Amino acid sequence: MRIAYISTYPPTECGIATYTQYLSDSVSVKGKEIRILAQIGAKGDNVFEVYAPHDKDIASKLFFHVERLTPDIVQIEHEFGLFGDQRGVQIIEFLIRCNLADTPVVVTLHTVFEDLKYQEKIIVQHILNLSSTIIVHENFQRDILLKNYNCPNPILVIPHGVREVKRVENAKELLGLEGKQVLLLAGYMRSTKNFEKIIDLLPRLVEKNKDLVLLMASRSRINEHSDYKDLLYRSLNKPDVKRHVKILYGKFPQFTLDTILSAADVMALPYLKGGQSGVLAQASALLLPVVTSELMSFKNWIEEVKGGFYAKTDDEYVNHITNLLQDDDLRLEFQENIRISNESINWSQIANRHIELYEKLIVPPIGGAQFYYRPERLDSNTKIVH
């Protein structure tokens, strides 16, 4: 089986690029052929640099590669704005071209909110009409689609995957944080992350937790949200705050990020907007309890996994963070809850669910015909028949 993923891809820095790398690698391990059709800048085996985000002919460039690579399935990792102007409308033309070629297309919608803009709603409706199957990460996202759109094709809920990785045991020592209670803020700097909420509460948190250090490991892409970044750093540079803060900067490749996550006792996610968070998946992989805002995706995760608390008020943020920092047994309980949850949503399990879907979408040309593919790396006595 040959799958073509259409997405951003590393070393491009983007949550969807990282997501696609984890998913495609996990599917590849299970004996499937992978092709990546990506924006200019992507690198790797079977990765094709196809288009720049400002191009006017994205649909034709993508389909040119589909025609020549002849995938059995195309999967689009969709985010608004990745496919040209007008919120990425060119992806609709590409879907039409795939329909004309009888090529099944799965679309993962990474952004599903009640308050999408007018242009975005039109694009979503066309995606729903033209896709073989839609994937979302959350049940409430499927509910939003069913409530607000005509949905002629199946909508499947497949959670965001979680890596299988061990904590870096000496992480606090590596970061000079031995004996400290470490509260982490991490991820790209955007105003919707609401990091200033935790910074503003820091004096109250320090009053209750004398050994507290706020570990700030965040960055922005080039000049994206530069005013917000400047605002945060000014607020962190105040004398009464600065002595309780450790700021890390850099590119944070995966093992570096794992070290930072492993040094933390609690992560705060005070977001104002967002779907299921890649940062939450990173925290889960390192068994890191969280205190979040009451965004639907966070509330659902906390109620299902019991790996943290969500907060409605400033008092709740302070109390929940303090409880987790001071109660070792509670932290260990939440870590175990996260570990158990991760067993069903590790990337291997998520890959299996995608492959099950792909197999259903490949239609035999005649009754009794079998799909056959033998990966080159398997021995000569091994065959794969679906």
Side-chain angles (χ1 to χ4, degrees):
M1 181 187 298
R2 182 176 298 165
I3 306 108
Y5 291 97
I6 295 176
S7 174
T8 52
Y9 194 81
T12 299
E13 293 199 357
C14 168
I16 291 177
T18 304
Y19 176 93
T20 302
Q21 182 181 42
Y22 291 145
L23 174 60
S24 59
D25 285 352
S26 300
V27 171
S28 177
V29 165
K30 295 179 182 296
K32 310 303 177 187
E33 284 188 280
I34 302 300
R35 305 290 184 267
I36 309 290
L37 308 184
Q39 291 183 3
I40 302 299
K43 303 295 180 185
D45 293 339
N46 294 310
V47 175
F48 299 82
E49 299 177 84
V50 177
Y51 74 97
H54 58 267
D55 286 347
K56 302 300 183 183
D57 55 351
I58 293 172
S60 60
K61 285 180 174 177
L62 286 171
F63 192 72
F64 174 87
H65 283 76
V66 168
E67 280 189 303
R68 281 148 184 79
L69 298 173
T70 64
D72 299 297
I73 298 284
V74 170
Q75 177 155 339
I76 300 169
E77 303 299 335
H78 181 268
E79 177 63 271
F80 296 106
L82 292 184
F83 305 101
D85 60 3
Q86 292 185 286
R87 306 303 289 145
V89 69
Q90 292 185 66
I91 201 61
I92 305 305
E93 179 189 338
F94 174 71
L95 284 166
I96 293 171
R97 288 174 178 265
C98 289
N99 275 248
L100 292 172
D102 287 329
T103 301
V105 183
V106 175
V107 178
T108 301
L109 292 175
H110 288 270
T111 301
V112 181
F113 301 125
E114 291 270 10
D115 60 345
L116 291 180
K117 298 175 183 177
Y118 176 73
Q119 289 179 325
E120 295 169 343
K121 289 180 178 178
I122 293 174
I123 291 171
V124 167
Q125 184 60 69
H126 282 290
I127 290 173
L128 293 169
N129 292 343
L130 294 167
S131 304
S132 305
T133 300
I134 296 291
I135 294 174
V136 293
H137 295 317
E138 309 264 6
N139 287 313
F140 82 85
Q141 293 176 323
R142 180 176 59 187
D143 293 342
I144 288 173
L145 294 176
L146 292 172
K147 173 185 174 184
N148 295 287
Y149 301 89
N150 176 36
C151 302
N153 298 307
I155 301 172
L156 190 62
V157 179
I158 301 180
H160 194 298
V162 173
R163 293 179 302 129
E164 297 179 88
V165 61
K166 292 183 179 180
R167 290 176 64 86
V168 180
E169 294 300 331
N170 62 335
K172 283 192 177 183
E173 179 184 351
L174 291 169
L175 291 174
L177 293 170
E178 302 109 307
K180 298 296 184 180
Q181 300 166 307
V182 181
L183 172 63
L184 176 64
L185 288 175
Y188 284 114
M189 287 185 183
R190 299 190 185 98
S191 58
T192 55
K193 299 292 184 72
N194 199 28
F195 288 158
E196 64 270 25
K197 164 72 74 176
I198 304 302
I199 296 170
D200 291 343
L201 292 174
L202 188 57
R204 292 179 60 186
L205 286 164
V206 170
E207 186 178 348
K208 290 177 175 287
N209 306 277
K210 301 303 181 184
D211 294 320
L212 175 66
V213 172
L214 176 63
L215 180 60
M216 184 81 177
S218 187
R219 57 183 297 253
S220 58
R221 296 189 189 95
I222 310 178
N223 290 322
E224 182 184 56
H225 301 275
S226 57
D227 290 342
Y228 180 67
K229 177 180 66 175
D230 292 343
L231 172 67
L232 287 183
Y233 282 136
R234 283 198 303 271
S235 65
L236 289 167
N237 202 36
K238 296 176 182 177
D240 60 330
V241 171
K242 189 174 182 179
R243 65 178 179 271
H244 300 290
V245 176
K246 186 179 184 70
I247 298 174
L248 303 178
Y249 67 94
K251 302 304 181 184
F252 306 141
Q254 189 63 69
F255 185 70
T256 301
L257 180 58
D258 289 349
T259 304
I260 294 168
L261 290 163
S262 298
D265 298 299
V266 182
M267 173 181 272
L269 297 165
Y271 294 9
L272 298 172
K273 189 173 183 178
Q276 191 174 58
S277 168
V279 175
L280 179 57
Q282 295 278 10
S284 298
L286 276 301
L287 307 181
L288 181 58
V290 297
V291 175
T292 76
S293 66
E294 53 180 337
L295 283 181
M296 183 68 73
S297 57
F298 291 156
K299 287 178 66 175
N300 288 345
W301 185 86
I302 285 166
E303 289 169 357
E304 292 172 8
V305 176
K306 295 180 173 56
F309 298 108
Y310 63 85
K312 299 178 182 179
T313 66
D314 289 356
D315 286 346
E316 288 187 354
Y317 273 107
V318 172
N319 292 336
H320 291 329
I321 290 170
T322 297
N323 286 342
L324 280 169
L325 289 174
Q326 295 184 1
D327 191 334
D328 294 343
D329 290 338
L330 180 61
R331 275 204 321 279
L332 289 171
E333 177 186 335
F334 282 2
Q335 287 176 345
E336 179 63 11
N337 292 343
I338 297 168
R339 185 193 65 76
I340 292 170
S341 173
N342 288 354
E343 291 176 356
S344 63
I345 58 171
N346 61 55
W347 277 111
S348 179
Q349 297 295 330
I350 297 304
N352 286 339
R353 295 183 63 177
H354 280 78
I355 292 168
E356 289 173 7
L357 170 61
Y358 303 153
E359 290 172 346
K360 291 177 182 176
L361 293 175
I362 297 176
V363 179
I366 190 172
Q370 292 180 300
F371 188 92
Y372 178 77
Y373 167 65
R374 187 171 75 87
E376 185 176 343
R377 63 179 173 272
L378 297 182
D379 63 69
S380 59
N381 296 319
T382 304
K383 67 178 181 178
I384 296 176
V385 177
H386 297 292

